Each structure stands twice: as structure tokens, then as C-alpha cells.
Coordinates of all heavy atoms in Angstrom, one line a residue:
M173 N -12.1 -36.3 2.3 CA -10.8 -35.7 2.0 C -10.7 -34.3 2.6 O -11.5 -33.5 2.3 CB -10.5 -35.7 0.5 CG -9.3 -35.0 0.1 SD -9.1 -34.9 -1.6 CE -7.9 -36.2 -1.9
A174 N -9.8 -34.1 3.5 CA -9.6 -32.8 4.1 C -8.8 -31.9 3.2 O -7.8 -32.3 2.6 CB -8.9 -33.0 5.5
S175 N -9.2 -30.7 3.2 CA -8.5 -29.7 2.4 C -7.4 -29.0 3.3 O -7.6 -28.9 4.5 CB -9.4 -28.7 1.7 OG -10.0 -27.9 2.8
I176 N -6.4 -28.6 2.7 CA -5.3 -28.0 3.4 C -5.4 -26.5 3.2 O -5.4 -26.0 2.0 CB -3.9 -28.5 3.0 CG1 -3.8 -30.0 3.3 CG2 -2.8 -27.7 3.7 CD1 -2.5 -30.6 2.8
I177 N -5.5 -25.7 4.2 CA -5.6 -24.3 4.1 C -4.2 -23.7 4.4 O -3.7 -23.9 5.5 CB -6.6 -23.7 5.0 CG1 -8.0 -24.2 4.6 CG2 -6.6 -22.2 4.9 CD1 -9.1 -23.8 5.6
R178 N -3.6 -23.1 3.4 CA -2.3 -22.5 3.6 C -2.4 -21.2 4.3 O -3.3 -20.4 4.0 CB -1.6 -22.4 2.3 CG -1.2 -23.7 1.7 CD -0.5 -23.5 0.4 NE -1.5 -22.9 -0.6 CZ -1.1 -22.3 -1.7 NH1 0.2 -22.1 -2.0 NH2 -2.0 -21.8 -2.5
P179 N -1.4 -20.8 5.1 CA -1.4 -19.4 5.7 C -1.3 -18.4 4.6 O -0.8 -18.7 3.6 CB -0.2 -19.4 6.6 CG 0.2 -20.8 6.7 CD -0.3 -21.6 5.6
M180 N -1.8 -17.2 4.9 CA -1.7 -16.1 3.9 C -0.3 -15.9 3.4 O -0.1 -15.7 2.2 CB -2.3 -14.8 4.5 CG -3.7 -14.8 4.8 SD -4.7 -14.8 3.4 CE -4.5 -13.1 2.8
S181 N 0.7 -16.0 4.3 CA 2.0 -15.7 3.9 C 2.6 -16.8 2.9 O 3.6 -16.6 2.2 CB 2.9 -15.7 5.1 OG 2.9 -16.9 5.8
D182 N 1.9 -17.9 2.8 CA 2.4 -19.0 1.9 C 1.7 -19.0 0.6 O 2.1 -19.8 -0.3 CB 2.2 -20.4 2.6 CG 3.1 -20.6 3.8 OD1 4.1 -19.9 3.9 OD2 2.8 -21.5 4.5
R183 N 0.7 -18.2 0.4 CA 0.0 -18.2 -0.9 C 0.8 -17.7 -2.0 O 1.6 -16.7 -1.8 CB -1.3 -17.4 -0.8 CG -2.3 -18.1 0.2 CD -3.6 -17.5 0.2 NE -4.4 -18.3 1.2 CZ -5.6 -17.8 1.7 NH1 -6.1 -16.7 1.2 NH2 -6.2 -18.6 2.5
R184 N 0.6 -18.2 -3.2 CA 1.4 -17.8 -4.4 C 1.0 -16.5 -5.0 O 1.8 -15.9 -5.7 CB 1.4 -18.9 -5.4 CG 1.8 -20.3 -4.9 CD 3.2 -20.4 -4.6 NE 4.0 -20.4 -5.8 CZ 5.3 -20.3 -5.8 NH1 6.0 -20.3 -4.7 NH2 6.0 -20.3 -7.0
D185 N -0.2 -16.1 -4.8 CA -0.7 -14.9 -5.5 C 0.0 -13.7 -4.8 O 0.4 -13.8 -3.7 CB -2.2 -14.8 -5.4 CG -2.8 -15.0 -4.0 OD1 -2.2 -15.8 -3.3 OD2 -3.8 -14.3 -3.7
A186 N 0.0 -12.6 -5.5 CA 0.7 -11.4 -5.0 C 0.1 -10.9 -3.7 O -1.1 -10.8 -3.6 CB 0.7 -10.3 -6.0
D187 N 0.9 -10.7 -2.7 CA 0.4 -10.2 -1.4 C -0.3 -8.9 -1.6 O 0.1 -8.0 -2.3 CB 1.7 -10.1 -0.6 CG 1.3 -9.8 0.9 OD1 0.7 -8.8 1.2 OD2 1.8 -10.6 1.7
I188 N -1.4 -8.8 -0.9 CA -2.2 -7.5 -0.9 C -1.4 -6.3 -0.5 O -1.6 -5.2 -1.1 CB -3.5 -7.6 -0.1 CG1 -4.4 -6.5 -0.4 CG2 -3.2 -7.7 1.4 CD1 -5.8 -6.6 0.1
R189 N -0.4 -6.5 0.4 CA 0.5 -5.4 0.8 C 1.3 -4.9 -0.4 O 1.5 -3.7 -0.6 CB 1.4 -5.8 1.9 CG 0.6 -6.0 3.2 CD 1.5 -6.6 4.3 NE 1.9 -8.0 3.8 CZ 2.6 -8.8 4.5 NH1 2.9 -8.5 5.8 NH2 2.9 -10.0 4.1
I190 N 1.8 -5.8 -1.2 CA 2.6 -5.4 -2.4 C 1.7 -4.8 -3.5 O 2.0 -3.7 -4.0 CB 3.3 -6.7 -3.0 CG1 4.3 -7.2 -2.0 CG2 3.9 -6.3 -4.4 CD1 4.9 -8.5 -2.4
R191 N 0.5 -5.3 -3.7 CA -0.4 -4.7 -4.7 C -0.9 -3.3 -4.2 O -0.9 -2.4 -5.0 CB -1.6 -5.6 -4.9 CG -1.3 -7.0 -5.5 CD -2.5 -7.7 -6.0 NE -3.6 -7.7 -5.0 CZ -3.9 -8.7 -4.2 NH1 -3.2 -9.8 -4.1 NH2 -4.9 -8.6 -3.3
F192 N -1.1 -3.2 -3.0 CA -1.5 -1.9 -2.4 C -0.4 -0.9 -2.6 O -0.6 0.3 -3.0 CB -1.9 -2.0 -0.9 CG -2.3 -0.7 -0.3 CD1 -3.7 -0.3 -0.4 CD2 -1.4 0.0 0.4 CE1 -4.1 0.9 0.2 CE2 -1.8 1.2 1.0 CZ -3.1 1.7 0.9
G193 N 0.8 -1.3 -2.2 CA 1.9 -0.4 -2.4 C 2.2 0.0 -3.8 O 2.5 1.2 -4.1
Q194 N 2.1 -0.9 -4.7 CA 2.3 -0.6 -6.1 C 1.2 0.4 -6.6 O 1.6 1.3 -7.4 CB 2.2 -1.9 -7.0 CG 3.5 -2.8 -6.7 CD 3.3 -4.2 -7.4 OE1 2.2 -4.6 -7.7 NE2 4.4 -4.8 -7.5
A195 N 0.0 0.2 -6.2 CA -1.1 1.1 -6.7 C -0.8 2.5 -6.1 O -1.0 3.5 -6.9 CB -2.4 0.6 -6.2
G196 N -0.4 2.6 -4.9 CA -0.1 3.9 -4.3 C 1.1 4.6 -5.0 O 1.0 5.8 -5.3
R197 N 2.1 3.8 -5.3 CA 3.3 4.4 -5.9 C 2.9 4.8 -7.3 O 3.3 5.9 -7.8 CB 4.4 3.3 -6.0 CG 5.6 3.8 -6.8 CD 6.7 2.8 -7.0 NE 7.3 2.5 -5.7 CZ 7.5 1.3 -5.3 NH1 7.2 0.2 -6.0 NH2 8.1 1.1 -4.1
K198 N 2.2 4.0 -8.1 CA 1.7 4.4 -9.4 C 1.0 5.7 -9.4 O 1.3 6.6 -10.2 CB 0.9 3.3 -10.0 CG 0.4 3.6 -11.4 CD -0.4 2.5 -12.0 CE -1.0 2.9 -13.4 NZ -2.0 2.0 -13.8
R199 N 0.0 5.9 -8.5 CA -0.7 7.1 -8.4 C 0.2 8.3 -8.0 O 0.0 9.4 -8.6 CB -1.9 6.9 -7.5 CG -2.7 8.2 -7.2 CD -3.4 8.7 -8.5 NE -4.2 9.8 -8.2 CZ -4.6 10.7 -9.1 NH1 -4.3 10.5 -10.4 NH2 -5.3 11.8 -8.8
R200 N 1.1 8.1 -7.1 CA 2.0 9.1 -6.7 C 2.8 9.6 -7.8 O 3.0 10.8 -8.1 CB 2.9 8.6 -5.5 CG 3.9 9.7 -5.1 CD 4.8 9.1 -4.0 NE 5.6 8.0 -4.3 CZ 6.7 8.0 -5.1 NH1 7.1 9.1 -5.6 NH2 7.4 6.9 -5.3
Q201 N 3.3 8.7 -8.6 CA 4.1 9.0 -9.8 C 3.3 9.7 -10.8 O 3.8 10.7 -11.5 CB 4.8 7.8 -10.3 CG 5.9 7.2 -9.4 CD 6.4 5.9 -9.8 OE1 5.8 5.2 -10.6 NE2 7.6 5.6 -9.3
E202 N 2.1 9.3 -11.0 CA 1.2 10.0 -12.0 C 1.0 11.5 -11.5 O 0.9 12.4 -12.4 CB -0.2 9.3 -12.0 CG -0.2 8.0 -12.7 CD -1.5 7.2 -12.6 OE1 -2.4 7.7 -11.8 OE2 -1.7 6.2 -13.2
L203 N 0.9 11.7 -10.2 CA 0.7 13.1 -9.7 C 2.1 13.9 -9.8 O 2.1 15.1 -9.6 CB 0.2 13.0 -8.3 CG -1.2 12.5 -8.1 CD1 -1.6 12.3 -6.7 CD2 -2.2 13.4 -8.9
G204 N 3.2 13.1 -10.0 CA 4.5 13.8 -10.0 C 4.9 14.3 -8.7 O 5.6 15.4 -8.6
I205 N 4.6 13.6 -7.6 CA 5.1 14.1 -6.3 C 6.0 13.1 -5.7 O 6.0 11.9 -6.0 CB 3.9 14.4 -5.3 CG1 3.0 13.1 -5.1 CG2 3.0 15.5 -5.9 CD1 1.9 13.3 -4.1
S206 N 6.9 13.5 -4.8 CA 7.8 12.7 -4.2 C 7.2 11.9 -3.0 O 6.1 12.3 -2.5 CB 9.0 13.5 -3.6 OG 8.5 14.4 -2.6
Q207 N 7.9 10.9 -2.5 CA 7.5 10.2 -1.3 C 7.4 11.2 -0.2 O 6.5 11.1 0.6 CB 8.4 9.1 -1.0 CG 8.3 7.8 -1.8 CD 9.2 6.7 -1.3 OE1 10.1 6.9 -0.5 NE2 8.9 5.5 -1.8
E208 N 8.4 12.0 -0.1 CA 8.4 13.0 1.1 C 7.1 13.9 1.0 O 6.5 14.2 2.1 CB 9.7 13.8 1.0 CG 9.8 14.7 2.2 CD 11.2 15.4 2.2 OE1 12.0 15.2 1.3 OE2 11.5 16.1 3.2
D209 N 6.8 14.4 -0.2 CA 5.6 15.3 -0.3 C 4.3 14.5 0.0 O 3.5 15.0 0.7 CB 5.5 15.9 -1.7 CG 6.6 16.9 -2.0 OD1 7.2 17.5 -1.0 OD2 6.9 17.2 -3.2
L210 N 4.2 13.3 -0.5 CA 3.0 12.5 -0.2 C 2.9 12.2 1.3 O 1.8 12.3 1.9 CB 3.0 11.2 -1.0 CG 1.8 10.3 -0.8 CD1 0.5 11.0 -1.0 CD2 1.9 9.0 -1.6
A211 N 4.0 11.8 1.9 CA 4.0 11.5 3.3 C 3.5 12.7 4.1 O 2.7 12.6 5.0 CB 5.4 11.1 3.8
A212 N 4.0 13.9 3.7 CA 3.6 15.1 4.4 C 2.1 15.3 4.3 O 1.3 15.7 5.2 CB 4.3 16.3 3.9
L213 N 1.6 15.1 3.0 CA 0.1 15.3 2.8 C -0.7 14.3 3.6 O -1.8 14.6 4.0 CB -0.1 15.1 1.3 CG 0.3 16.2 0.3 CD1 0.2 15.8 -1.1 CD2 -0.5 17.5 0.6
A214 N -0.2 13.1 3.7 CA -0.9 12.0 4.4 C -0.7 12.0 5.9 O -1.3 11.3 6.6 CB -0.5 10.7 3.8
G215 N 0.3 12.9 6.4 CA 0.5 12.9 7.8 C 1.3 11.7 8.4 O 1.0 11.2 9.4
M216 N 2.2 11.2 7.6 CA 3.1 10.1 8.0 C 4.5 10.3 7.6 O 4.8 11.3 6.9 CB 2.5 8.8 7.4 CG 2.5 8.8 5.9 SD 1.7 7.2 5.2 CE 0.1 7.3 5.9
H217 N 5.4 9.5 8.2 CA 6.8 9.7 7.9 C 7.2 9.1 6.6 O 6.6 8.1 6.1 CB 7.6 8.9 9.0 CG 9.0 9.3 9.1 ND1 10.0 8.8 8.3 CD2 9.7 10.3 9.8 CE1 11.2 9.3 8.5 NE2 11.0 10.2 9.5
R218 N 8.1 9.7 5.9 CA 8.5 9.2 4.6 C 9.0 7.8 4.5 O 8.7 7.0 3.6 CB 9.6 10.2 4.0 CG 10.0 9.8 2.6 CD 11.4 10.3 2.1 NE 12.5 9.9 3.0 CZ 13.1 8.8 3.1 NH1 12.7 7.8 2.3 NH2 14.1 8.5 3.9
T219 N 9.8 7.4 5.5 CA 10.3 6.0 5.5 C 9.1 5.0 5.7 O 9.2 3.9 5.2 CB 11.3 5.8 6.6 OG1 10.8 6.1 7.9 CG2 12.6 6.6 6.3
Y220 N 8.1 5.4 6.5 CA 6.9 4.5 6.6 C 6.2 4.4 5.3 O 5.8 3.3 4.8 CB 6.0 5.1 7.7 CG 4.7 4.3 7.9 CD1 4.7 3.1 8.5 CD2 3.5 4.8 7.4 CE1 3.6 2.4 8.7 CE2 2.3 4.1 7.6 CZ 2.3 2.9 8.3 OH 1.2 2.2 8.5
L221 N 6.1 5.5 4.5 CA 5.5 5.5 3.2 C 6.3 4.6 2.3 O 5.7 3.8 1.5 CB 5.3 6.9 2.6 CG 4.7 7.0 1.2 CD1 3.3 6.4 1.2 CD2 4.8 8.4 0.7
G222 N 7.6 4.7 2.3 CA 8.5 3.9 1.5 C 8.3 2.4 1.8 O 8.2 1.6 0.9
D223 N 8.1 2.1 3.0 CA 7.8 0.7 3.4 C 6.5 0.2 2.9 O 6.3 -0.9 2.4 CB 7.8 0.5 4.9 CG 9.2 0.5 5.5 OD1 10.2 0.4 4.8 OD2 9.3 0.6 6.8
I224 N 5.5 1.1 2.9 CA 4.2 0.8 2.3 C 4.3 0.5 0.8 O 3.8 -0.5 0.3 CB 3.2 1.9 2.6 CG1 2.8 2.1 4.0 CG2 1.9 1.7 1.7 CD1 2.0 3.3 4.4
E225 N 5.0 1.4 0.1 CA 5.2 1.2 -1.3 C 5.9 0.0 -1.7 O 5.7 -0.6 -2.8 CB 5.9 2.4 -1.9 CG 5.0 3.7 -2.0 CD 5.6 4.8 -2.8 OE1 6.7 4.7 -3.3 OE2 4.9 5.8 -3.0
R226 N 6.8 -0.5 -0.8 CA 7.5 -1.8 -1.1 C 6.8 -3.0 -0.5 O 7.3 -4.1 -0.7 CB 8.9 -1.7 -0.4 CG 9.8 -0.8 -1.2 CD 11.3 -0.8 -0.7 NE 11.4 -0.6 0.8 CZ 11.4 0.6 1.3 NH1 11.2 1.7 0.6 NH2 11.5 0.7 2.6
G227 N 5.6 -2.8 0.0 CA 4.8 -3.9 0.5 C 5.3 -4.5 1.8 O 5.0 -5.6 2.2
K228 N 6.1 -3.7 2.6 CA 6.7 -4.2 3.8 C 5.8 -3.9 5.1 O 6.1 -4.3 6.1 CB 8.1 -3.5 4.0 CG 9.0 -3.8 2.9 CD 9.4 -5.2 2.9 CE 10.5 -5.4 1.8 NZ 10.7 -6.8 1.6
R229 N 4.7 -3.1 4.9 CA 3.9 -2.7 6.0 C 2.5 -3.3 5.8 O 2.0 -3.3 4.7 CB 3.8 -1.2 6.1 CG 5.1 -0.5 6.5 CD 5.4 -0.8 7.9 NE 6.6 0.0 8.3 CZ 6.8 0.4 9.5 NH1 6.0 0.3 10.4 NH2 8.0 1.0 9.7
N230 N 1.9 -3.7 6.9 CA 0.5 -4.0 6.9 C -0.3 -2.8 7.4 O -0.3 -2.5 8.6 CB 0.3 -5.2 7.9 CG -1.1 -5.8 7.7 OD1 -1.8 -5.5 6.8 ND2 -1.4 -6.7 8.7
V231 N -0.8 -2.0 6.5 CA -1.3 -0.7 6.7 C -2.6 -0.7 7.5 O -3.5 -1.4 7.1 CB -1.4 0.1 5.4 CG1 -1.8 1.6 5.6 CG2 -0.1 0.0 4.6
A232 N -2.7 0.2 8.5 CA -3.9 0.3 9.3 C -4.9 1.0 8.4 O -4.6 1.9 7.6 CB -3.7 1.1 10.6
L233 N -6.2 0.8 8.6 CA -7.3 1.4 7.9 C -7.2 2.9 7.9 O -7.5 3.5 6.9 CB -8.6 0.9 8.3 CG -8.9 -0.6 8.0 CD1 -10.3 -1.0 8.6 CD2 -9.0 -0.8 6.5
V234 N -6.9 3.5 9.0 CA -6.8 4.9 9.1 C -5.8 5.5 8.2 O -6.0 6.5 7.6 CB -6.6 5.4 10.6 CG1 -5.3 5.0 11.1 CG2 -6.9 6.9 10.7
N235 N -4.7 4.8 8.0 CA -3.6 5.2 7.1 C -4.0 5.0 5.6 O -3.6 5.7 4.8 CB -2.3 4.5 7.4 CG -1.7 5.1 8.7 OD1 -2.0 6.3 9.0 ND2 -1.0 4.3 9.5
V236 N -4.8 3.9 5.4 CA -5.3 3.7 4.0 C -6.2 4.9 3.6 O -6.0 5.5 2.5 CB -6.1 2.4 3.9 CG1 -6.9 2.3 2.6 CG2 -5.3 1.2 4.1
E237 N -7.0 5.3 4.5 CA -7.9 6.5 4.3 C -7.1 7.7 4.1 O -7.3 8.5 3.2 CB -8.9 6.7 5.5 CG -9.9 7.8 5.2 CD -10.8 7.9 6.4 OE1 -10.4 7.9 7.6 OE2 -12.0 8.0 6.1
R238 N -6.0 7.9 4.9 CA -5.2 9.1 4.7 C -4.5 9.1 3.4 O -4.4 10.2 2.7 CB -4.1 9.2 5.8 CG -4.7 9.5 7.2 CD -3.6 9.4 8.2 NE -4.0 9.7 9.5 CZ -3.3 9.6 10.6 NH1 -2.1 9.2 10.5 NH2 -3.8 9.9 11.8
L239 N -4.0 8.0 3.0 CA -3.3 7.9 1.7 C -4.2 8.2 0.5 O -3.9 8.9 -0.4 CB -2.6 6.5 1.5 CG -1.3 6.4 2.2 CD1 -0.8 4.9 2.1 CD2 -0.2 7.3 1.6
A240 N -5.4 7.6 0.6 CA -6.4 7.8 -0.5 C -6.7 9.3 -0.6 O -6.8 9.8 -1.7 CB -7.6 6.9 -0.3
A241 N -6.9 9.9 0.5 CA -7.3 11.3 0.5 C -6.1 12.1 -0.1 O -6.3 13.0 -0.9 CB -7.6 11.8 1.9
A242 N -4.9 11.8 0.3 CA -3.7 12.6 -0.1 C -3.5 12.3 -1.6 O -3.0 13.2 -2.3 CB -2.5 12.1 0.7
L243 N -3.8 11.1 -2.1 CA -3.7 10.8 -3.5 C -4.9 11.2 -4.4 O -4.9 11.1 -5.6 CB -3.4 9.3 -3.7 CG -2.1 8.8 -3.2 CD1 -2.0 7.3 -3.1 CD2 -0.9 9.4 -4.0
N244 N -5.9 11.7 -3.7 CA -7.1 12.2 -4.3 C -7.8 11.0 -5.1 O -8.2 11.2 -6.3 CB -6.9 13.4 -5.2 CG -8.2 14.1 -5.5 OD1 -9.1 14.1 -4.8 ND2 -8.2 14.8 -6.7
V245 N -7.9 9.9 -4.5 CA -8.5 8.7 -5.2 C -9.5 8.0 -4.1 O -9.2 8.2 -2.9 CB -7.5 7.7 -5.7 CG1 -6.7 8.2 -6.8 CG2 -6.7 7.1 -4.6
P246 N -10.5 7.3 -4.6 CA -11.3 6.6 -3.7 C -10.4 5.4 -3.1 O -9.5 4.9 -3.7 CB -12.4 5.9 -4.6 CG -12.3 6.6 -5.9 CD -10.9 7.2 -6.0
I247 N -10.8 5.1 -1.9 CA -10.0 4.0 -1.2 C -9.9 2.7 -2.1 O -8.9 2.1 -2.2 CB -10.6 3.7 0.2 CG1 -10.4 4.9 1.1 CG2 -10.1 2.4 0.8 CD1 -11.2 4.7 2.4
A248 N -11.0 2.4 -2.7 CA -11.1 1.2 -3.5 C -10.0 1.2 -4.6 O -9.6 0.1 -5.0 CB -12.5 1.0 -4.1
A249 N -9.7 2.4 -5.1 CA -8.7 2.4 -6.2 C -7.3 1.9 -5.8 O -6.6 1.4 -6.6 CB -8.5 3.9 -6.7
L250 N -7.0 1.9 -4.5 CA -5.7 1.4 -4.1 C -5.7 -0.1 -3.9 O -4.7 -0.7 -3.6 CB -5.4 2.1 -2.7 CG -5.2 3.6 -2.8 CD1 -5.0 4.2 -1.4 CD2 -4.0 3.9 -3.7
F251 N -6.9 -0.7 -4.1 CA -7.0 -2.2 -4.0 C -7.3 -2.8 -5.3 O -7.6 -4.0 -5.3 CB -8.1 -2.5 -3.0 CG -7.7 -2.2 -1.6 CD1 -8.1 -1.0 -1.0 CD2 -6.9 -3.0 -0.8 CE1 -7.8 -0.6 0.3 CE2 -6.5 -2.7 0.5 CZ -7.0 -1.5 1.0
E252 N -7.2 -2.1 -6.4 CA -7.5 -2.7 -7.7 C -6.3 -3.4 -8.3 O -5.2 -3.1 -8.0 CB -8.0 -1.6 -8.7 CG -9.3 -1.1 -8.3 CD -9.8 0.0 -9.2 OE1 -9.0 0.5 -10.0 OE2 -11.0 0.4 -9.0

């Protein structure tokens, strides 16, 4: 019996982009900073950060590292 492997986009579990964005937004709100302030700290545009928080972007590793540093959390914390 052959198993069917569904593409990542078809899986029912929450997309990692959405979970990552939610974790980042939660930490940003805990710090009491705006998207604009966080974007400046991370060296990215505010609209790009907004897309990340909404799970609309597939974030490059270099930007994951920048966000973690700007949020003062280990990279792994954004994937919990």
C-alpha cells in the first residue's frame, strides 16, 4: 500500500510561518514595542515585519536571526 504524501501547503496543522509570526508578535507585544520600532531594530521594513507576523512570508534564516536578536530571545523561542 503506497502512502500519499501531501504537500506542505495542504497539511492541516498550523503552518510554521503562522506559528513563527505569532511567536514574534507575542514577544513584541510583551516588550511593548511597535512593529515600526521592531523593524528598525531588526533592520527591515515595517510592512515586511507585518507580513511575517501574519504568516505571509517565508522568512530567510538571516532575518530569523535578526528578529531573535531584536526581540532579545534565542532563535529557538520563535519556533516554540
Side-chain angles (χ1 to χ4, degrees):
M173 172 184 261
S175 63
I176 297 173
I177 300 175
R178 292 180 292 162
M180 291 291 287
S181 61
D182 290 345
R183 294 188 181 167
R184 303 291 290 173
D185 51 326
D187 188 300
I188 192 168
R189 294 171 295 188
I190 293 169
R191 295 190 318 258
F192 180 86
Q194 289 171 342
R197 176 183 293 133
K198 180 180 176 192
R199 177 62 179 159
R200 177 180 61 76
Q201 291 172 338
E202 288 170 356
L203 294 172
I205 60 176
S206 67
Q207 281 185 347
E208 188 172 4
D209 290 339
L210 177 56
L213 288 170
M216 57 184 63
H217 197 276
R218 184 200 53 79
T219 57
Y220 179 72
L221 177 64
D223 285 348
I224 291 170
E225 287 190 356
R226 288 189 305 282
K228 302 292 183 188
R229 294 286 183 150
N230 192 11
V231 186
L233 288 174
V234 68
N235 289 329
V236 169
E237 184 177 48
R238 288 177 181 172
L239 278 174
L243 292 168
N244 197 30
V245 295
I247 291 171
L250 297 174
F251 291 97
E252 293 177 350

